[in-house]
Amino acid sequence: MMSFFRKPLFSDNRFIFGIYGILALFVSIRTLINMDSNNYQIFYYSLAHLIDGKNLYLLYPAEYGDHYHYAPTFAALFAPIFALPFSVGLFLWHLLFTAVWVYAIYRMPLTHSQKVVAYWFSMQELITSLVNSQTNPLIAALSLFAFVSFEKRQLFWAAFFIIVGFNIKIYSLVAAALFLLYPQKLRFLAYMVLWGVVLGLLPLLFTSPDQLVWQYENWVTQLMLKSDYDKWANTSIHKLVHLTISPDISTSAIIGAGVVLFCTVYWRVQQFNQRWFKMLLLASVLIFQVIFNPVAESPTYIIAVTGVMIWWFYCPQTWLDRGLLISCLVLTVLSPSDIFPRFLRELLVTPYALKALPCVLIWFRLLYLMHTMKPMPATPAMVPIQTPSQS
């Protein structure tokens, strides 16, 4: 795999960015021709509903199917796009999120060859999200931007990216777990509060204070309803647990167990300054917010696959790691595509949530690595991965 990516053409950023641009352009044109983007319709009409004082969270069958699930701030944040004619905003939507995700990978403290692998490996997964006009590439990018900001000690911007993510998808708040690895924790928490207030009040540009309070009440109610979603309709660890252990295990119990496992790595305080530890925690953050999301869908997995790439660059790359990566490529990345046999997708992958399985196993693997990696001297530079004492 690596020898392929080292070929001059396939490792040239201009070629890679060009491919991503063409794919995003293709998706935009296809979506415009078919005019079948229900997700973007939900997003687009949110600004008009906010301005008109309508309940953002009711069904509006004349405009779109399903519910709006985002914070009122979401409508205000993307007002420059939603204020454009529908077709223009829809066209730009896919190009914008593709560019943001590609740029986020570019900004990461990875080698050029690692970024090249990440671009090629994740390409199909990004397309899966784009064809559904989802915000997930942005959510993945925001966690990466927050990490880069932490590394540069720019806590003000780290807090900003995390709060923006929260106002789009609340599970992206998991990225705040990174702050425990860095100094000036109280300052970061203060910035979180500051940005929470600023962005929380941003919709006042379009509505009154009373209306905004009412919209937030409606949002909380909608989140409660969404959390009770059919347990068999998700693609996450929740469905895997309900299928293999018991359908009676509650959503809160599964999430609670996940949070406890996630936090167990913090006892290794002596490793907080190590680059590999920070990167694996970032990978854990990205994967966790998808696999423990009780309403995760296939297009959500661009977030988890981004985390898988970071894990791959810092794992020992043993036969076990290679097997997990290949399973992720086949079941997570390729299974929703036309490359994958349709009868296998309908018979096995979708009913048994097999798209989620590789990411779940990789998450447990990276937790193991974070617990067993041998101590190394602290250094701000990138350090090579060390083989755990037991593999």
Side-chain angles (χ1 to χ4, degrees), residues 6-242:
R6 290 194 187 101
K7 294 182 182 298
L9 178 63
F10 298 110
S11 62
D12 189 308
N13 277 340
R14 292 169 297 181
F15 179 74
I16 296 171
F17 296 164
I19 293 295
Y20 268 91
I22 291 171
L23 290 172
L25 186 62
F26 172 78
V27 172
S28 288
I29 294 174
R30 173 185 175 275
T31 307
L32 276 176
I33 292 173
N34 296 331
M35 292 301 286
D36 59 354
S37 180
N38 184 67
N39 283 320
Y40 183 75
Q41 287 172 249
I42 295 174
F43 306 150
Y44 178 81
Y45 287 106
S46 64
L47 180 61
H49 293 165
L50 181 66
I51 294 172
D52 294 341
K54 295 181 179 179
N55 187 338
L56 291 169
Y57 305 95
L58 295 180
L59 283 173
Y60 295 94
E63 297 171 345
Y64 51 77
D66 205 353
H67 288 271
Y68 175 85
H69 298 298
Y70 304 86
T73 299
F74 178 88
L77 278 173
F78 292 100
I81 294 179
F82 301 153
L84 296 171
F86 181 87
S87 58
V88 176
L90 180 59
F91 179 80
L92 294 175
W93 192 254
H94 308 92
L95 296 170
L96 171 64
F97 286 174
T98 299
V100 169
W101 184 86
V102 168
Y103 180 65
I105 295 295
Y106 181 78
R107 288 291 309 278
M108 285 294 292
L110 301 169
T111 65
H112 174 69
S113 61
Q114 288 172 336
K115 293 174 185 177
V116 168
V117 172
Y119 285 135
W120 287 111
F121 188 94
S122 308
M123 186 174 290
Q124 176 58 48
E125 195 59 45
L126 185 70
I127 294 173
T128 299
S129 186
L130 289 179
V131 296
N132 289 273
S133 302
Q134 290 278 15
T135 58
N136 299 304
L138 174 63
I139 297 299
L142 288 171
S143 292
L144 300 185
F145 289 146
F147 174 80
V148 171
S149 297
F150 276 124
E151 285 290 286
K152 293 184 175 181
R153 301 299 188 266
Q154 297 173 344
L155 305 183
F156 180 80
W157 291 112
F160 169 77
F161 292 126
I162 291 169
I163 294 298
V164 168
F166 170 78
N167 280 281
I168 300 173
K169 291 197 172 183
I170 62 172
Y171 265 75
S172 64
L173 189 63
V174 178
L178 295 167
F179 93 98
L180 291 172
L181 305 185
Y182 297 90
Q184 298 182 316
K185 297 175 178 58
L186 291 179
R187 176 176 293 185
F188 168 76
L189 293 175
Y191 287 145
M192 286 281 285
V193 172
L194 173 64
W195 279 118
V197 172
V198 171
L199 293 180
L201 296 179
L202 186 63
L204 288 177
L205 295 174
F206 306 98
T207 190
S208 67
D210 290 342
Q211 286 284 323
L212 182 57
V213 171
W214 176 63
Q215 295 287 11
Y216 276 115
E217 291 173 348
N218 295 333
W219 181 41
V220 172
T221 300
Q222 183 60 36
L223 290 177
M224 294 300 102
L225 292 173
K226 187 175 172 65
S227 66
D228 293 331
Y229 194 66
D230 184 359
K231 69 177 63 175
W232 304 115
N234 67 83
T235 305
S236 68
I237 195 172
H238 296 271
K239 187 171 183 177
L240 293 173
V241 168
H242 292 146

Side-chain angles (χ1 to χ4, degrees), residues 302-313:
I302 182 58
I303 305 170
V305 169
T306 303
V308 167
M309 284 289 88
I310 295 171
W311 157 79
W312 173 248
F313 300 141

Side-chain angles (χ1 to χ4, degrees), residues 273-285:
N273 288 328
Q274 295 287 338
R275 174 62 59 82
W276 63 263
F277 189 89
K278 295 176 181 178
M279 295 294 271
L280 287 180
L281 184 60
L282 173 61
S284 178
V285 162

